[in-house]
Amino acid sequence: MFVVPVRYYPSDLTDRQWKLIRGFLRRLSKRGAPRKYDYRVIINAVFFVVKAGCQWRMLPREFPHWKAVYQLFYRWRNSGVWERIHDTLRMKVRDLDGKRPKPTAAIIDSQSVKTTHIAGDERGYDSGKKINGRKRHIVVDTLGLLLAVIVHRANEQDYNGAPLVLYSLWEKMKSIQVIFADTVYGYKGLPEFTRQTLGMAIMIVKRPVDQLKGCFEVQPKRWIVERTFAWIGLYRRNSKDYEINPEISATIIQITMFQIMLNRLDRTKL
């Protein structure tokens, strides 16, 4: 078996971080050939790709072959392993901050990012931001932790893309009662649809009347989701949308927040 080497890179799991997540990766069946690679080194490789922003094929030789890493990355995505670990870590971080496991308030926003030519038809032109690419539509709690994410074409207006991410949120978290949002989320009957269909109220956070055009001012609640986008941007795989499949892009964002929460938990006594 390819075992865990010494900790080569800052993105590698510490012993304490590994203890937090290794229970999710236990093999459920004893059938089949023995594992060739230790799961910890696979996660280290995935973390390296997300943090450094390199191609899968350019993984350093300290890691297993890139095809083996990507195969497990994709398999864990399809089986929901990444999502289950992410959601468990979020509850731990919330508990650490004295919050209930499931939030009742959330904030929604989108971010347009460029894509490469490999994105094909799964991209569009955002005339407002002058970006040809995709939109990352996210919902976060009041700590800025990710609750739901959907990636779609950038030419979709926020009020058209919002139902996708809101429904994804409702499927796994029906405790949400209010969602703070930008003015654009008040159009096309979105608040009424959300209240009647999902039982969630969208509260529009408007800019102050006396705010001068072009001047920056921190908006109540909305600054939280903007900070989350800033956290995501610290991981170079997110500098653009490099993925062919938008669903893989959403998983990369989940793994980014996964690393951020692990680093936070590693600095505290659990």
Side-chain angles (χ1 to χ4, degrees), residues 105-133:
I107 309 99
I108 186 173
D109 205 353
S110 71
Q111 179 190 51
S112 295
V113 292
K114 294 180 180 179
T115 56
T116 62
H117 66 283
I118 62 171
D121 295 334
E122 293 296 329
R123 60 178 173 174
Y125 184 70
D126 182 347
S127 58
K129 300 294 178 62
K130 304 295 189 293
I131 289 176
N132 187 25

Side-chain angles (χ1 to χ4, degrees), residues 164-202:
L164 298 174
V165 69
L166 290 174
Y167 183 73
S168 175
L169 172 69
W170 175 82
E171 278 189 313
K172 59 182 180 180
M173 197 162 296
K174 295 178 175 60
S175 61
I176 300 295
Q177 298 175 8
V178 60
I179 301 171
F180 297 96
D182 191 2
T183 308
V184 71
Y185 292 94
Y187 299 151
K188 301 294 183 179
L190 179 61
E192 291 76 14
F193 166 80
T194 305
R195 184 179 63 254
Q196 294 174 9
T197 308
L198 306 179
M200 302 174 183
I202 291 183

Side-chain angles (χ1 to χ4, degrees), residues 27-88:
R27 191 168 180 174
L28 299 179
S29 175
K30 294 182 179 180
R31 294 182 177 181
R35 282 193 288 118
K36 187 176 180 180
Y37 302 110
D38 189 291
Y39 285 157
R40 179 172 175 178
V41 79
I42 295 293
I43 290 185
N44 284 345
V46 173
F47 280 9
F48 181 89
V49 169
V50 175
K51 183 62 177 177
C54 73
Q55 298 173 358
W56 292 99
R57 293 173 182 267
M58 296 184 68
L59 272 171
R61 293 183 180 179
E62 293 86 2
F63 296 116
H65 193 274
W66 73 269
K67 285 187 177 179
V69 175
Y70 186 78
Q71 183 183 40
L72 279 172
F73 160 81
Y74 197 78
R75 186 184 300 169
W76 289 343
R77 174 199 166 275
N78 288 345
S79 61
V81 170
W82 294 117
E83 187 172 10
R84 285 195 296 273
I85 298 175
H86 172 274
D87 292 349
T88 301

Side-chain angles (χ1 to χ4, degrees), residues 51 109-111 113 136 138 140 144 222-236 238-239 253 256-257 260:
K51 183 62 177 177
D109 205 353
S110 71
Q111 179 190 51
V113 292
R136 297 165 178 164
I138 67 172
V140 302
R222 281 175 47 199
W223 67 270
I224 297 173
V225 69
E226 297 295 345
R227 182 184 60 180
T228 302
F229 281 129
W231 289 343
I232 292 171
L234 293 175
Y235 289 71
R236 290 193 174 186
N238 300 313
S239 60
I253 292 173
T256 299
M257 293 302 297
I260 290 169

Side-chain angles (χ1 to χ4, degrees), residues 1 9 17 21 47 52 75 80 90 101-102 129 150 153 172-173 182 184-186 205 212 227 233 245 253 259:
M1 179 187 292
Y9 302 102
Q17 290 172 336
I21 65 173
F47 280 9
R75 186 184 300 169
R90 185 184 63 235
K102 293 186 178 181
K129 300 294 178 62
I150 294 290
R153 298 175 184 178
K172 59 182 180 180
M173 197 162 296
D182 191 2
V184 71
Y185 292 94
V205 180
L212 298 177
R227 182 184 60 180
N245 185 351
I253 292 173
Q259 294 183 68

